[in-house]
Amino acid sequence: MKVIIVGGLAGSGKTTTILRLSKIFSDAGQRIGAIVQETGDVDYDENTLHEMGINKRDIESVCIPCSLDADIINNMQALHEEFRPDVVFIEAEETVLPVRIKVDLERMELKDMQIAPMVTIVDAAEFPLETEMLLRFARIQVEDAAVICLNKKDLADQVRISQLKQMFKGLNSNADVLELNAKEGEGISELMLSLR
């Protein structure tokens, strides 16, 4: 079972990105699970899943109201035992550190669990351009990410995207920085390659 932890600020496009990735995994015959810590503009409702071409039975979603260690562990175990997904997405709310979720998962003794590189989604048009302006949680999520996705690239000009890339390089020189337009599916195949 592959676990993909996705962080980012509210409105950055985490759910849309997860749904795009879920469709690819689902089309390959894999069962998808999701643990969600916040509800944004896009939800895991049946209409959204239908629009994305994902059958309701192919995705199991559990909403947890807070980021307590026990909630993550209990929900992961329940999802694993009841649904047996091949891939589980954990969508972390903006005030939760994905690295903390990763540490909690590593303490679990689930057979065949593989934690994919951590992903942070940022809104390329709205994310602050100066490190001093970053909220503590946003900064830490960027610093800890293996993959940083500049989502909504269609709403930002190349100068802004270049400035963000430069800032991210200074905060986390080891991360892959990708440009996405998750709403249109652009850049999703590159993100899939980064999750291997």
Side-chain angles (χ1 to χ4, degrees), residues 35-72:
I35 298 176
V36 184
Q37 292 184 299
E38 67 179 47
T39 303
D41 295 336
V42 179
D43 203 354
Y44 294 90
D45 63 45
E46 196 160 347
N47 288 337
T48 301
L49 296 175
H50 179 70
E51 287 174 16
M52 300 295 289
I54 301 169
N55 292 327
K56 182 72 170 157
R57 69 181 188 283
D58 291 337
I59 188 165
E60 182 67 26
S61 177
V62 177
C63 186
I64 54 179
C66 59
S67 61
L68 297 175
D69 299 349
D71 286 340
I72 295 287

Side-chain angles (χ1 to χ4, degrees), residues 15-32:
T15 303
T16 302
T17 301
I18 288 170
L19 288 171
R20 288 283 181 188
L21 292 169
S22 294
K23 170 106 173 77
I24 294 169
F25 284 114
S26 179
D27 287 350
Q30 297 189 319
R31 295 170 60 93
I32 311 301

Side-chain angles (χ1 to χ4, degrees), residues 7 14 36 43 45 56 74 125 134 136 163 185-186:
K14 296 184 299 288
V36 184
D43 203 354
D45 63 45
K56 182 72 170 157
N74 291 339
L134 293 180
R136 178 178 163 264
Q163 290 172 321
E186 296 172 20

Side-chain angles (χ1 to χ4, degrees), residues 103-122:
V103 169
D104 292 339
L105 293 174
E106 288 171 341
R107 287 187 293 181
M108 294 180 69
E109 295 180 11
L110 286 180
K111 236 180 173 179
D112 301 324
M113 180 173 62
Q114 173 201 2
I115 301 174
M118 289 190 304
V119 177
T120 296
I121 309 288
V122 301

